[in-house]
Amino acid sequence: MLTLLSAMYLVTRTASAQAEPIRVLVTGAAGQIAYSLLYSIAKGDVFGKDQPIILVLLDISPMLPVLDGVVMELQDCALPLLREVIPTDKVEVGFKDLDAAILVGSMPRKEGMERKDLLKANVAIFKTQGEALEKYAKKTVKVLVVGNPANTNCLIASKSAPSIPKENFSCLTRLDHNRARSQVAMRVGVPSDSVKNVIIWGNHSSTQYPDVHHAIVNNHGKEMSAFDAVNDESWLKGDFITTVQQRGAAVIKARKLSSAMSAAKAICDHMRDIWFGTPDGEWVSMGIYSTGNSYGVPDDLMYSFPVMIKNKTWKVVDGLVINDFSRGKMDSTAAELVDERDTALTFLGA
C-alpha cells in the first residue's frame, strides 16, 4: 500500500512540476519543409525534452485536407510532449498567445514572374501576418521568418507589429551557415562540428557572403584558421563562395524540389539556439535588424550577422577585422537588400 501511495505521489509531483505548454506556430504547415520540421519540434529537439508543446498549424484554406493528414500523423507518433495540435486557416486562431512563430509559408516565384510581383505578393502576406502577431501574439514571441525573400519578408512583418521588439524577429540564414561549415569540413576531411565561427553576411540570396576569415578548424586535434586548414585560398575565395551561394538552386536542379530536410534542420538549430543560447566562444549566423550595427551596414534592414545568444537575446559579434575583399561582398549584398526594402515599402502602404 505504501509503495502504491509513493508511486501515486511521485506521478502527481512529476505532473505538477512539468512546465506549462508553449504555443508554437508553423505557417505553410502542409508544405514539404513543415513536413520535415514538425516531428523534431513535437518530440522536443528544439524547445527542450521537458517542454510540452501546443503546435498550431496554419495554411491556406485549400490545404486544410492535407493538413488533416499531417495532424493524423503527428497524433500517430504518440509523442508525450505534444499536448495539442491545432490546424487552422484563420489568423486569429493561428497567432493567438504565441510563444514562438516559424513563418515558413510564402509565395514562391513562378515561371515568368517579375521580381517586383513576387515582392508585392509577399508584402501582402507578411503584412497580414505581422498585423496578426501585433493583435494576437504575446509581446515576448520569438519570430523566425523562413519564407523567401526571407530578409525582406521579416522586415515587413516586424514593421507591421510595432509593439513587438524588432530584436524578437529574425530570418533564416542558418541553412547557409550550415552549408558553409559543411563545405569547409568536407574539404579538410573533418566532422562538421570541428568547424566553427563561419559567417553568413547579408541576404539569403545568391548575393550572400559566406565568410571564413574568422573561422576555426579543429584539424585532428590541432586548432587553426580555416585558411590554414584548407590551404587553398583560391577555392575559399572562389568555388567555396559560389557553391554556398548557389546550393539551393543545385538542390532544386537535382531533386526538382527545394531544400526541405536541410532547411528543417537549420530551423531547428536556429530556434534551439535562441531558446538555449550559443556555446561559449562560438557564434552563429542569423538575419537580424541592422540598425546600430558596427560594420557599416545600412540601418533598417534584416541583414545576416554573426551573433552570440544568451537568455534568448542575441548580440552581434563586434570587432571582427573586415578586409577589402569582405567589405566589397558585404556592401554588395547590402545594396540588394536596400533595393528589396525600398521596393517592398512602396507596396506596404498600397
Side-chain angles (χ1 to χ4, degrees):
M1 185 70 180
L2 276 173
T3 306
L4 180 60
L5 282 171
S6 300
M8 288 174 66
Y9 168 74
L10 280 170
V11 168
T12 306
R13 199 177 109 180
T14 302
S16 63
Q18 194 163 46
E20 283 293 303
I22 58 170
R23 291 177 75 94
V24 179
L25 167 67
V26 177
T27 71
Q32 61 152 355
I33 291 176
Y35 193 78
S36 294
L37 171 68
L38 293 170
Y39 174 71
S40 294
I41 293 174
K43 81 180 184 63
D45 287 351
V46 179
F47 299 102
K49 298 295 184 184
D50 57 355
Q51 177 58 67
I53 300 277
I54 297 170
L55 259 183
V56 188
L57 309 181
L58 179 70
D59 215 314
I60 56 175
S61 303
M63 298 305 292
L64 287 179
V66 178
L67 214 48
D68 286 340
V70 175
V71 172
M72 284 187 260
E73 286 214 68
L74 283 166
Q75 292 166 343
D76 295 349
C77 288
L79 297 163
L81 291 175
L82 186 58
R83 295 305 161 84
E84 190 177 358
V85 185
I86 303 169
T88 186
D89 60 351
K90 296 177 173 60
V91 293
E92 61 270 24
V93 176
F95 286 84
K96 183 175 173 55
D97 296 333
L98 293 180
D99 295 283
I102 302 170
L103 308 184
V104 179
S106 64
M107 169 73 79
R109 190 167 193 163
K110 296 173 182 173
E111 197 172 344
M113 181 182 265
E114 293 287 334
R115 187 165 145 276
K116 68 180 183 195
D117 295 328
L118 180 69
L119 272 171
K120 186 174 185 178
N122 280 297
V123 165
I125 292 168
F126 284 87
K127 179 183 179 184
T128 299
Q129 294 188 350
E131 289 169 349
L133 285 163
E134 175 77 5
K135 190 170 182 181
Y136 301 112
K138 294 178 181 177
K139 300 308 178 191
T140 53
V141 64
K142 299 296 186 183
V143 182
L144 168 58
V145 175
V146 179
N148 287 318
N151 300 59
T152 300
N153 288 344
C154 187
L155 184 69
I156 295 301
S158 71
K159 286 181 178 292
S160 303
S163 72
I164 297 173
K166 290 279 191 292
E167 292 76 20
N168 289 24
F169 288 83
S170 57
C171 71
L172 189 74
T173 57
R174 184 59 170 270
L175 178 52
D176 311 301
H177 182 101
N178 288 349
R179 286 165 171 164
R181 192 178 188 182
S182 178
Q183 287 295 316
V184 171
M186 289 190 296
R187 190 79 174 188
V188 178
V190 296
S192 60
D193 64 356
S194 293
V195 180
K196 66 181 183 182
N197 296 351
V198 301
I199 303 169
I200 303 298
W201 298 100
N203 200 2
H204 175 63
S205 75
S206 59
T207 70
Q208 65 173 264
Y209 172 41
D211 177 10
V212 294
H213 283 92
H214 308 280
I216 300 294
V217 177
N218 185 325
N219 192 356
H220 306 289
K222 184 180 179 184
E223 285 213 338
M224 59 181 66
S225 75
F227 271 79
D228 286 343
V230 170
N231 196 27
D232 188 343
E233 185 172 347
S234 64
W235 180 78
L236 283 171
K237 289 187 169 183
D239 287 351
F240 162 72
I241 291 173
T242 54
T243 296
V244 176
Q245 288 174 332
Q246 297 169 13
R247 189 67 159 189
V251 170
I252 290 173
K253 185 176 179 182
R255 286 188 77 226
K256 309 301 183 265
L257 291 166
S258 61
S259 309
M261 182 186 356
S262 56
K265 162 65 164 52
I267 292 165
C268 291
D269 291 345
H270 180 118
M271 290 304 287
R272 190 190 314 105
D273 284 345
I274 287 178
W275 235 250
F276 295 107
T278 48
D280 287 344
E282 291 190 36
W283 61 68
V284 294
S285 304
M286 59 174 65
I288 53 167
Y289 196 55
S290 65
T291 296
N293 75 88
S294 64
Y295 287 106
V297 173
D299 287 348
D300 200 34
L301 299 173
M302 288 291 177
Y303 186 102
S304 183
F305 290 94
V307 299
M308 292 180 174
I309 305 167
K310 192 173 183 181
N311 300 323
K312 295 183 183 173
T313 303
W314 53 258
K315 186 177 185 305
V316 173
V317 178
D318 287 324
L320 299 175
V321 175
I322 305 299
N323 63 22
D324 290 344
F325 179 84
S326 295
R327 180 82 266 159
K329 294 198 172 297
M330 289 166 66
D331 290 348
S332 176
T333 190
E336 182 184 55
L337 279 170
V338 168
D339 183 49
E340 272 187 25
R341 176 198 65 196
D342 292 349
T343 304
L345 290 179
T346 65
F347 300 132
L348 190 58

